[in-house]
Structure formats: structure tokens, C-alpha cells
Amino acid sequence: MAPASPIDRDPFADPVASIEQSRDAHAVNPTLALGRNVSLTLATDSLIIIDESFSRRESFNCCGLIPTNSKPTRAIPFHNILWAELSELNIAIHYAKQFSKKAVRVASITYQVERSTREVAAGWVSQLLDNAYGESQRRKRIKVLINPVGGQGRAQKLYTEDIEPIFVAAKCEIDVERTQFQGHATEIAEKLDVEAYDVIAACSGDGLPFEIFNGLGKRRNARGALSKIAVVQLPCGSGNALSLNLNGTNSNSLAALAVVKGIRTPVDLISVTQGDQRVLSFLSQSFGLIAEVDLDTDHLRWMGSARFTWGFLSRLLRKKVYPCDIAVKIDIGTKPEIRDHYRNEISHLPPPKGTHRDNEPDRFSSSDEEGLPPLKYGSVNDPLSPSWTFLPTPNLSNFWCGNMPLMAPDTTVFPAALPQDGFADLVTIDGVISRVASIRSMLAASTDNKFFDMEHVCYRKISAYRLIPKSRDGGKKSGGGGGGVHFVSIDGERFPGQPWQAEVHRGLGTVLSRRGGRFESKGVA
């Protein structure tokens, strides 16, 4: 048909409405009818299935003794949809079914499709996958590293039973390798063909992610590799902070689902120099009581995260202090200013970028021969910058610098932390406070999230610092021992109690997260 002439057109017609009507003509009908008794509807955030056969199937309650009638309606959140496909005769939908509060299991539902409705069904399936994945990349290529001693030796079993079925149902490409020794993940990441994968998944505690980030950081094209490959955690250890912060869970199966649906997110990393060594930190650096709690309870890993509570309480009775000198590049120095900064960053978050392989340019090309960014403030062996603030702390109890808010389940130490604001959050606590105040601090971080506002908790946003441990007589320490200072904890890994320096690199690393621009914590807004 020839287009209408200007004379034939309605002069009062809204041209915008006409365009929208044209688009609507090609829009997918959200409801797909499959015979008389079945319909599948794409609702706001769920797939709604109405199937009369559901109500005819008997279910049981009261210990399985009393039969009840099931409802004919079932709702599956789009987040739980793993895949959908249309064959010559059937439509199959694979999803993660809520098995318990902390676990999902793969389930499937299949219906016959008449030949006359195949074209409509194909469009509907395409729309379902669009709704299910949104900005997340489909069919991710995942390199899985399993720590065989993780999860008290159960990591392989947890992967096989809880994680792998979800990846398979989501049509992910999987390459699995077991680490053989400490540092093996670093070697694997350093030599990895980064063009062959989208994600490195650590089936472990926080130790393997630390090794992976540092392996990528050792490459000649470190910046490109850290941008290209997203590092994630499939929680199988006593410390699962990476998954808690990015996915909001330390459940194996829920974390696997979160990885399948995860959004690529740049994240700040911290360079730490000690002696002639430079390492990358993704989580935190600690010194004093909290470092001892972290590292001196390794023999209690069988207790899970409860070992940290035990370690804290047992050391609190001694009231030890950890003298040191701290020099800091302070960027935001007061709690009201930090709160304003957090609110401003959250309110101006850009929408998540598309993550399909074909439409997202990398921040750095993985082929670029660029190593780690140069150190803006030099290493621990260089003179201190005159712009830094010197903080003598003869009675320090806790020094804790972090990139992410949650250090353990329900323990928010850095509530103002953001994935890529270019700052680290620094908490210092003096050792002269009472034991009651110390216990209140722990409870505040673990329960009501009021830790940030406590008067004796010094909280700053910083971009660099140097810490020099001292002995009780005021002399500088060259190593462990004396004065109660024996080691430093970097992402839960043990380092000598020697001077070290750290600085933040904005958005250097890449992870997968649920919300893109913020962590899974309440924040300080």
C-alpha cells in the first residue's frame, strides 16, 4: 500500500503516538497461550505460569500426611531464570528453584508448542531471555579454580553438587582446574589466555581471589587483563567476604546464580609495598588486634566465621596495644563529609553498561603491553610525601583499611565503601578504650550497623598511607616479635610485621556484582 499523502493524513494526529503504535505492532505479546489450560506471562519482574494441572496435583503438608490442593499459578522471578529454548515441538524453561532460604536447585518445565504458534513462541522466548538477563552477559565463559582443601576439604563436592548444575543449565562454558599448592592460582592467572574467558571463579575462601588478582597483576598486560577478566568467588571457605559484598550471600548455589546474572563492575584495588615486594589487595589490610584475630585463628577454621568472634573475645581480655606511626593521604576526614560523599556517589550512579561480548568496549585492551599503574607516591622505601598527615599512635588497638564494607556475614566494618570511588576506608581505634566499649564496637558492626557513628571509631576516606610498627620502647621494628606485633594481614594473608605503604588504584580490577555501582550492604545514606 502506498503511503498516505499529506492531504489524506489527519492534521490533528500526534506523530509521536503514531510512532509508538508502529512499535507496538511489532512488540511481543507478554502472554503466550499454550492450549486451553496453560499460559506463560512476562510480568514486571517474574514469569507467571498458569497451569490447571498444578491444581490437580496433590501436595502434602503436616509431615506429608495430609493432602492439599496446589494453586494453578506459579511465579518464577526473572533473576532465577537460567535459560529457555524452543525445539521443534517443545518450549523448555530451566530455572533455579528455591530449595531453602539459603539454597537453590536447578528445575525445568516443558510444554508442547503447536507448529502454528512457533514463530510467536520464538519471539516470546527471546523476550524472556532479555528480561531474565537484562544487562548481564549470557553464556559466560568461566574458568573455575577449585581449592581442594577449601570448605574443610569439601570444595570439590560443593562445586559438583551445588554450583556446576547451575552453570550447565545457564549454558555457560566451563573449564575446571584444581589448584595443587599455595600460589598455584597466581601462576594460572598469570599464564591464562584472557581472550578465552570472561570470568575466573574461585571455588574457595578469600585466599584464591587474592592469588588470582595478583596473578593477573604480574602479567605484562596487567591493566588489560584486570579489565578483561572478572574475578568472582564461589564461597567454599571460612572467609567468603568477596561473595558477601558482591552477591549478598555466602551460599554456594545462590552465589553461582549471582555469577550467572552478575553485572561487570570495575572495582578499586590497592597496591601494597613492603620491602621490595608489591602486591594487590582487593579486600582489606589490618594491623593490631584484628590482624591477630584473623591470622592467629587459622587452626580454628573448623568453626567457620565464629572463629573471628572467639579470637576477638579471647584477645580483648589482654588489652594489648600496638604502637606505630601512621602517615596518611586524607581525602575526606570527617564522618558528615563521608556520609555526604556516599549519598552523592550513590545518587549519581551511571546505569549498568551492556555486557554482551560484542557491545562493551574494554577499559583497556587485553593486548596492551601495560603493566600495573605506576605508584603515584612511590614505595615504602621512598621518602614520604609532604602533603600527608602524620598520625602518631602509641596506644593503637586496631588499624583496618578496606575496599569493601563486609568482612564477615553481618559484620559491616566499612559501610561507606564504594566499588570505585577511588578511596579506601580507614578505621583506627585507640587501645585505651574500655573492654565494654570494645565489645560494643564488635556488636555494632555485627548487628545494628551503628559502628560508623561510634565516637571512638575514627573513620576516614584516604587514597594512600604508610604504617611503621614500633616496639613498646618506641623504637621502629624491622620484623615480627616484641610489643605484640608479629604480622600484618592483607586480604587474610600473613605478611611480616614490617613497614608497608599502600595506595588506591581507581577501577583497576573487574568483578561481577548484583547491583553494579554499590555493594550488598546498607551503606551510610
Side-chain angles (χ1 to χ4, degrees), residues 291-402:
E292 285 197 3
V293 168
D294 187 8
L295 297 176
D296 251 10
T297 59
D298 268 359
H299 63 291
L300 300 174
R301 284 184 177 272
W302 56 271
M303 296 178 65
S305 60
R307 70 183 175 99
F308 301 116
T309 303
W310 166 256
F312 176 82
L313 293 175
S314 63
R315 282 157 180 76
L316 181 64
L317 299 175
R318 307 176 205 168
K319 290 207 71 173
K320 290 172 63 176
V321 294
Y322 305 82
C324 62
D325 289 335
I326 306 172
V328 185
K329 173 66 171 65
I330 300 174
D331 297 275
I332 308 177
T334 69
K335 292 179 182 179
E337 290 176 316
I338 290 172
R339 198 182 297 273
D340 288 343
H341 166 78
Y342 184 89
R343 290 169 176 166
N344 183 65
E345 290 288 315
I346 292 298
S347 64
H348 291 89
L349 286 177
K353 295 180 180 179
T355 54
H356 297 284
R357 250 172 256 157
D358 296 334
N359 65 6
E360 184 193 11
D362 289 330
R363 284 165 285 145
F364 299 98
S365 168
S366 57
S367 62
D368 290 345
E369 296 297 316
E370 289 190 280
L372 291 176
L375 295 171
K376 182 177 180 181
Y377 301 104
S379 75
V380 69
N381 301 315
D382 294 313
L384 275 172
S385 170
S387 64
W388 291 16
T389 302
F390 184 68
L391 305 174
T393 48
N395 296 306
L396 180 77
S397 171
N398 274 305
F399 174 97
W400 214 345
C401 182

Side-chain angles (χ1 to χ4, degrees), residues 109-132:
I109 192 164
T110 303
Y111 291 106
Q112 288 188 344
V113 178
E114 297 180 2
R115 292 183 182 276
S116 60
T117 61
R118 273 186 53 78
E119 184 177 347
V120 172
W124 186 90
V125 167
S126 178
Q127 186 62 55
L128 171 61
L129 289 174
D130 285 346
N131 291 5

Side-chain angles (χ1 to χ4, degrees), residues 140-146 167 175 177 179 185-194 196-203 208-209 211-216 219 225-226 228-234 242 246 259 264 510-512:
K140 296 178 175 72
R141 303 170 299 169
I142 306 175
K143 176 73 174 182
V144 178
L145 300 183
I146 300 177
F167 287 169
D175 178 17
E177 186 170 353
T179 58
T186 299
E187 293 185 8
I188 294 171
E190 185 178 3
K191 299 173 183 177
L192 190 74
D193 178 4
V194 296
Y197 303 97
D198 306 302
V199 179
I200 302 182
C203 196
L208 242 57
E211 291 188 17
I212 292 169
F213 277 118
N214 278 281
L216 295 174
R219 300 170 64 101
L226 287 163
K228 172 70 173 60
I229 296 288
V231 180
V232 302
Q233 181 185 47
L234 302 168
L242 185 61
L246 301 177
V259 168
R264 284 176 60 88
T510 305
V511 294
L512 298 180

Side-chain angles (χ1 to χ4, degrees), residues 13-23:
D14 183 354
V16 174
S18 300
I19 293 173
E20 291 178 349
Q21 290 172 4
S22 175
R23 290 175 179 169

Side-chain angles (χ1 to χ4, degrees), residues 456-495:
H456 60 269
V457 174
C458 297
Y459 199 112
R460 305 172 178 92
K461 285 273 188 181
I462 67 171
S463 53
Y465 71 89
R466 179 180 295 181
L467 188 146
I468 303 172
K470 300 173 70 175
S471 61
R472 288 187 183 276
D473 60 9
K476 296 181 181 178
K477 293 178 58 59
S478 60
V485 181
H486 301 288
F487 39 70
V488 175
S489 174
I490 300 177
D491 294 354
E493 301 299 311
R494 184 186 297 258
F495 285 77

